[in-house]
Amino acid sequence: MEEILEILEDNARISFDDLAKLTNKKVEEVERIVKQYEKKGIIVKYKTLINKERLKEERGVVALIEVNVTPQKDVGFDQVAERIYRFPEVKSCYLLSGTYDLLLVVEGKDIHTVASFVAEKLAPLSSVKGTVTHFMLKKYKEDGVVLVKDEKNKRLAITY
Amino acid sequence: MVSERVEKIPPSGIREFFDLVLGMPEVISLGVGEPDFITPWRIREKAITALEEGYTSYTSNKGLQILREEISVHLERKYSLSYHPDREIVVTVGVSEGLDLSLRAILDPKDKVVVISPYYVAYPALVELNLGEVIYIETEEKDGFKINLDKLKRAMKIKPKAIILNYPSNPTGVTYTKEELEDIWEILEKEDILIISDEVYDELTYSGKHIPFPSLKRAKKRTVLLNGFSKGYAMTGFRLGFACGEEKIISAMTKIHSFSMLCAPIISQLAGREALKAQKEVSLMRSEYQKRRDFIVKELNSLGLSTHLPEGAFYCFSSIRKFKLNSLDFAKRLLMEEKVAVVPGRAFGKIYDDYIRISYANSLDNLKEASIRLGRFIEKIN
Ligand SMILES: Cc1ncc(COP(=O)(O)O)c(C=O)c1O
C-alpha cells in the first residue's frame, strides 16, 4: 500500500504538515494526493478506534451472526446480501467460503435488541435458511491493536 | 584495592546527569540508545518455548552449532560473505563482549588502537582496560562527520595495532558508501593493522546498501566483524552478538570467552536463531525509524539545531553552537525546564561540547511533543 495510506490508516488525525515531513513531500502535494484518494473512494471515512472494554458506562452488545442463504438466480449472493446489509443494525457484512455464507457483525443495546433483530427482521427473509448467533464476550485485539494489555517498553530513560 | 588500570579510567562526567534523568518521572527521553520497539513476538515466543522445553543448559563455548550455521547462511545471503560456522564465528554476549574479546585477544601493554570520534563510549574505555593506548581521529561536521583520509594516513605513522570502525555510527548516524570504504581500506591495507568493525546498526541503514568492511577486496582476512541482535532486531535485553574473522583470531577470542563467559545464554541463542528469520519484522521497524528520522531532522533544522541527515542507526548529532551553552548545560536546562532528555555531545569526545545526541527511537507522538518543547526552550535561551 502507498505510504500515505499506511500512515493514515494508523493515524487519521495526522496533519498534512506532519504527513509531508514523514513522506518527504511538499505539503501541497500531500494534500492533493489525499484529496484524490477521497475522491476515488479509496479513503472512505476517517474513524476512531474506541476501546469499549475500558468504557465504564453501558457499552451495548456485539454479536457475530452466521447466515445461511439461498442464492438468487443470476445475481447470486449480492442481492440477498443487500437485503441484509441495508439493516442499520448490521455494522459489517461479509460473504465467506465454508459452512455458512454470510457473516454479520450486529450491534445492539442489549441481548434482547439483537435477539429481536434476528427473530423479527433477519430470519423471516425468504432467502435466509438459517442463522447462528454468537454474542461477543471480550475483545482482546481489534484492527491490529491489542486492547487488553499495555505493552510498554521498560528501557531506561537514558543510555549511551 | 581497585587496580591502577581501572582507577585510571576517568569517571564519566555525564553520570551525574544520567542520574538526574533517571530520577525524574515523566521525561520525554530522546536520550535512549536502544530501540523503543519490544522484541518481535515470534522471537519472544521462541524464547518462551525454549524455556518450556527445558533449554536451560550451557552450550558449546562457540555457541550453538545451529545458530552459527544460520549466522553463516545469513551473512552469505545478505552480503555474499562466507564465514565457516565452526572456525570463523563465535557467538558473544552482545557486541559489547565481542569488542572486549577482540581487544583482549590482540593487545599487549601500550599497543595503540585508533578510535574515531565522536565515539561509542565503550571503545576508549575497553582499549584502556586492556592496557592499550587510544589514538583519536576526530571527525568534523564540515566533513559530515566522516573520516578524513589525511588524518587517517597521519595516524598510521604511529603504527597502531588496530582500528575500531563503527558504521552506521553511534552517535552520528553516519555510514559510508562502498567507494568511501575503499578509500579507507586503501590506506589501511598497506599497514599491519587489524580492523575491528562494529556494524551493530547494519540493519538500520536508510539510504543505499550497507557494505560490511570485510566484503571489500582482500579485507576479510584483516577484519574482525562484530554484529549482533540488539538494534535491528530490538533484542538488547537478550545480550546476543557474534564475531566473525580469521580462524586464528576467532579461536583466540573463543579461548578468552570460554574462561570469562563460558557461553552466551542458551535461551537468547535460540531466540536469535528465530530472529534471523524475522526479516519482515526488521524491515517494518526500519521503515518506521526512517519516517521518524525524516520528521525529526526537519524539525531540528527548522529550530536552528543544525543536523546532518543521518543515513543509519537512530541518532541525530545536532549542533548547538548557536546557543552559547555547552552541551551539558544545554542538556541540564532542557531537562529541568522542559523535561526533555538528550545526551550531551561531550560524552562522545571532549571536543563535541557543541553538540547533543538526539535519539529518534521513540514514538512519533513523543518526537512531536519533544520538538514543541525544544522550540519553546530555544526561544527562551536565544
Ligand atoms: C556502536 C555500538 N556498539 C555496540 C553497542 C552494544 O551492543 P550490544 O547490545 O550488542 O552489546 C552499542 C549499543 O548502544 C552501540 O551503540
Side-chain angles (χ1 to χ4, degrees):
Chain A
M1 203 162 47
E2 214 271 328
E3 199 183 8
I4 291 183
L5 289 177
E6 266 172 25
I7 297 171
L8 282 172
E9 191 174 35
D10 187 52
N11 177 11
R13 293 190 57 191
I14 194 167
S15 68
F16 286 130
D17 240 25
D18 290 349
L19 201 49
K21 280 181 197 141
L22 288 175
T23 55
N24 264 322
K25 291 186 165 67
K26 292 214 162 56
V27 182
E28 306 78 58
E29 190 186 350
V30 168
E31 226 173 316
R32 204 195 67 238
I33 295 172
V34 172
K35 290 266 142 56
Q36 282 271 322
Y37 282 134
E38 290 171 356
K39 222 158 85 197
K40 286 191 192 150
I42 292 173
I43 293 179
V44 182
K45 166 174 170 168
Y46 299 92
K47 55 178 239 179
T48 305
L49 180 64
I50 295 171
N51 187 352
K52 294 190 181 153
E53 296 288 318
R54 300 243 168 116
L55 272 182
K56 287 280 175 291
E57 71 229 44
E58 187 55 64
R59 41 182 146 100
V61 296
V62 180
L64 300 185
I65 304 178
E66 301 169 7
V67 188
N68 259 309
V69 299
T70 339
Q72 311 271 286
K73 227 173 168 225
D74 299 331
V75 290
F77 287 104
D78 293 353
Q79 208 167 57
V80 187
E82 184 167 5
R83 289 293 303 277
I84 293 175
Y85 68 62
R86 289 291 179 192
F87 289 122
E89 291 89 340
V90 176
K91 298 298 170 202
S92 306
C93 175
Y94 310 97
L95 177 65
L96 305 183
S97 65
T99 52
Y100 55 94
D101 305 309
L102 296 174
L103 177 67
L104 314 182
V105 180
V106 171
E107 288 180 20
K109 90 175 180 319
D110 52 31
I111 290 187
H112 304 295
T113 324
V114 176
S116 62
F117 164 75
V118 176
E120 290 159 25
K121 293 185 174 161
L122 187 59
L125 290 176
S126 61
S127 44
V128 169
K129 286 193 292 187
T131 66
V132 180
T133 302
H134 309 269
F135 285 103
M136 199 179 283
L137 301 181
K138 186 167 181 178
K139 278 188 191 172
Y140 292 101
K141 186 175 180 183
E142 190 162 80
D143 286 347
V145 184
V146 175
L147 300 175
V148 287
K149 214 173 176 179
D150 282 325
E151 232 178 24
K152 281 222 185 68
N153 195 309
K154 293 154 185 78
R155 59 193 186 154
L156 292 175
I158 193 158
T159 42
Y160 293 113
Chain B
M1 188 62 158
V2 176
S3 76
E4 237 173 78
R5 120 178 70 152
V6 174
E7 286 285 7
K8 240 179 53 194
I9 295 186
S12 160
I14 306 290
R15 194 63 252 171
E16 209 179 296
F17 173 70
F18 273 34
D19 290 340
L20 207 58
V21 176
L22 294 173
M24 194 179 274
E26 322 250 316
V27 174
I28 296 190
S29 184
L30 308 182
V32 194
E34 62 178 317
D36 60 316
F37 295 105
I38 297 173
T39 310
W41 175 252
R42 64 182 285 185
I43 303 172
R44 280 190 276 161
E45 190 179 35
K46 205 65 185 185
I48 296 167
T49 312
L51 270 175
E52 281 174 348
E53 290 177 352
Y55 283 99
T56 58
S57 62
Y58 295 131
T59 71
S60 82
N61 299 136
K62 284 182 274 191
L64 291 169
Q65 170 88 19
I66 42 166
L67 176 60
R68 279 179 284 122
E69 277 167 10
E70 303 250 352
I71 290 170
S72 171
V73 168
H74 173 77
L75 291 172
E76 177 78 54
R77 199 179 291 147
K78 195 165 163 96
Y79 297 123
S80 307
L81 270 173
S82 25
Y83 286 105
H84 195 288
D86 294 336
R87 298 191 296 269
E88 300 179 316
I89 298 177
V90 57
V91 176
T92 58
V93 177
V95 170
S96 303
E97 197 215 353
L99 266 165
D100 187 35
L101 290 177
S102 50
L103 291 167
R104 273 209 250 181
I106 60 164
L107 289 186
D108 286 310
K110 297 220 172 348
D111 278 346
K112 300 181 177 56
V113 177
V114 175
V115 167
I116 313 299
S117 315
Y119 47 74
Y120 174 56
V121 291
Y123 301 156
L126 286 176
V127 171
E128 282 165 15
L129 280 173
N130 288 299
L131 301 175
E133 280 175 21
V134 185
I135 313 288
Y136 294 100
I137 295 182
E138 287 161 347
T139 63
E140 296 173 59
E141 191 180 355
K142 70 169 168 51
D143 301 326
F145 293 110
K146 293 197 175 182
I147 298 170
N148 175 300
L149 297 177
D150 291 327
K151 285 189 189 173
L152 182 62
K153 277 182 207 152
R154 232 172 297 140
M156 291 307 116
K157 296 212 175 95
I158 313 167
K159 299 288 164 205
K161 190 139 190 196
I163 178 169
I164 304 177
L165 297 178
N166 169 223
Y167 62 92
S169 146
N170 176 6
T172 62
V174 163
T175 193
Y176 293 90
T177 63
K178 183 147 191 271
E179 292 67 35
E180 289 166 335
L181 291 169
E182 280 166 350
D183 291 342
I184 292 170
W185 173 230
E186 195 187 323
I187 295 168
L188 297 177
E189 187 175 9
K190 297 186 200 116
E191 311 292 327
D192 185 16
I193 190 173
L194 178 78
I195 293 92
I196 299 173
S197 195
D198 175 351
E199 305 184 14
V200 72
Y201 293 98
D202 69 332
E203 295 287 358
L204 305 180
T205 301
Y206 310 114
S207 7
K209 228 179 97 193
H210 177 81
I211 311 289
F213 203 85
S215 70
L216 303 176
K217 277 205 188 74
R218 299 178 301 279
K220 186 169 158 247
K221 276 191 159 63
R222 299 265 306 276
T223 308
V224 174
L225 171 68
L226 301 177
N227 208 332
F229 296 83
S230 283
K231 314 294 174 165
Y233 300 87
M235 290 175 69
T236 44
F238 283 83
R239 310 306 306 123
L240 190 67
F242 52 88
C244 307
E246 277 280 273
E247 181 171 4
K248 203 156 169 219
I249 180 129
I250 292 300
S251 66
M253 289 167 67
T254 309
K255 183 156 62 170
I256 306 168
H257 172 81
S258 74
F259 297 126
S260 63
M261 196 61 72
L262 224 166
C263 66
I266 189 168
I267 298 159
S268 299
Q269 292 193 50
L270 289 166
R273 196 175 162 227
E274 183 67 19
L276 290 173
K277 298 179 198 150
Q279 297 304 316
K280 206 174 102 198
E281 284 83 348
V282 170
S283 96
L284 277 174
M285 290 190 276
R286 172 174 44 239
S287 64
E288 201 54 40
Y289 289 127
Q290 182 165 358
K291 271 182 232 154
R292 298 163 176 188
R293 172 195 74 159
D294 290 346
F295 176 83
I296 195 76
V297 169
K298 282 190 201 102
E299 290 290 304
L300 293 172
N301 280 312
S302 75
L303 292 175
L305 292 162
S306 115
T307 304
H308 272 275
L309 185 71
E311 296 141 327
F314 36 62
Y315 308 107
C316 296
F317 205 56
S318 303
S319 167
I320 53 165
R321 184 163 306 128
K322 266 192 178 164
F323 305 114
K324 301 181 183 66
L325 281 177
N326 69 45
S327 64
L328 186 57
D329 290 342
F330 186 98
K332 264 190 190 154
R333 282 191 56 186
L334 179 61
L335 178 70
M336 302 313 284
E337 294 169 32
E338 292 292 347
K339 294 200 167 184
V340 173
V342 299
V343 180
R346 67 162 73 160
F348 310 99
K350 275 204 237 29
I351 67 160
Y352 301 97
D353 214 10
D354 284 340
Y355 298 91
I356 52 173
R357 190 195 72 178
I358 288 174
S359 158
Y360 51 89
N362 215 322
S363 70
L364 261 182
D365 285 345
N366 278 344
L367 292 178
K368 248 188 109 163
E369 176 60 25
S371 348
I372 293 170
R373 296 186 190 184
L374 255 169
R376 216 160 39 207
F377 177 67
I378 282 167
E379 202 138 287
K380 203 157 32 162
I381 61 173
N382 223 346

